[in-house]
Amino acid sequence: MLRSVSCVGRLFVLIILGFLWVFVLIVLLRRGLVNVVRKLIKLLNEFGGVKYGDFTLSSGEKSSYYIDIKAVCTEPVFLREVAREISGELGGVDRVAGVALGGVPLVTAVSLESEVPYLMIRKEEKGYGTNDRIEGSYSVGDSAVIIEDVTTTGNSVLDGIKALRDAGLSVDRAFTVVDRESGAIENLQENGVELKAVISVSELVNR
Ligand SMILES: O=P(O)(O)OC[C@H]1O[C@H](OP(=O)(O)OP(=O)(O)O)[C@H](O)[C@@H]1O
Ligand SMILES: O=C(O)c1cc(=O)[nH]c(=O)[nH]1
């Protein structure tokens, strides 16, 4: 009788220790993720990635601030961190793709980190040569994840997705380094694409 009580006791202790271990693991993992975002925000501020003034956006809208990822993604440390962060979330996919100009250095870095081949999407056809909007090799039926530097309306990403779909690739996920929380997530959702932001602009800018 006594022996079976001590067995149950030991089992109970083991179960509690198991739960504790899982809890500690979750806390450590979450801290790791939060730290990457904090590090990227620090780098964005350090290298002039957040600018204040009067800006016109690609949609024609006016803004009192501008997220200048191009100023920061030329820094290897920023590019490496972004590539690690996005690569860790990629899952199985045949191609990663980036829209010119901002998406191209990012997708190149993600490709190096994840070893997934990449595609570049031109804003428009050149009118000569192959006249392809999508540069790189792929097969019809390949799946692709699109990577962008900044999203506002999401129309640039959507345009890239349309080009990929027209070429016979399937796209249902996209990543952006900074989402300006101005409708891109909803816009893409309506078009069957889940957009994940590494950083939301409210974490970066006091609006
Ligand atoms: O979500 P949206 O409303 O489409 O806005 C975001 C787009 O604007 C910027 O590109 P831009 O048009 O300035 O071109 P660039 O990358 O060639 O500089 C940015 O790189 C995104 O592609
Ligand atoms: O909407 C845009 O055009 C835009 C906004 C922003 O903050 N940064 C950027 O590169 N583009």
Side-chain angles (χ1 to χ4, degrees), residues 58-59 66 70 100-102 123 148-156:
S58 66
S59 59
Y66 195 76
K70 281 122 192 157
L101 176 80
K123 278 217 165 105
E148 181 62 295
D149 58 347
V150 182
T151 44
T152 305
T153 62
N155 286 339
S156 307

Side-chain angles (χ1 to χ4, degrees), residues 73 79 82-83 86-87 90 95-121 135 144-149 164 175 177:
C73 77
L79 208 50
V82 168
I86 294 177
S87 297
L90 263 189
R95 294 290 182 273
V96 283
V99 182
L101 176 80
V104 171
L106 297 170
V107 80
T108 310
V110 169
S111 175
L112 280 169
E113 176 71 23
S114 63
E115 298 194 6
V116 175
Y118 76 98
L119 303 171
M120 293 167 279
I121 309 166
E135 301 286 3
V145 167
I146 202 157
I147 294 158
E148 181 62 295
D149 58 347
L164 289 168
F175 288 91
V177 178

Side-chain angles (χ1 to χ4, degrees), residues 21-33:
W21 174 235
V22 171
F23 177 74
V24 169
L25 205 65
I26 290 171
V27 170
L28 287 177
L29 279 174
R30 288 197 62 168
R31 274 216 184 149
L33 292 180

Side-chain angles (χ1 to χ4, degrees), residues 134-177:
I134 299 172
E135 301 286 3
S137 65
Y138 60 90
S139 302
V140 168
D142 277 352
S143 59
V145 167
I146 202 157
I147 294 158
E148 181 62 295
D149 58 347
V150 182
T151 44
T152 305
T153 62
N155 286 339
S156 307
V157 172
L158 199 54
D159 182 60
I161 289 167
K162 282 182 182 153
L164 289 168
R165 286 177 173 167
D166 286 348
L169 291 105
S170 65
V171 190
D172 59 14
R173 284 184 303 139
F175 288 91
T176 181
V177 178

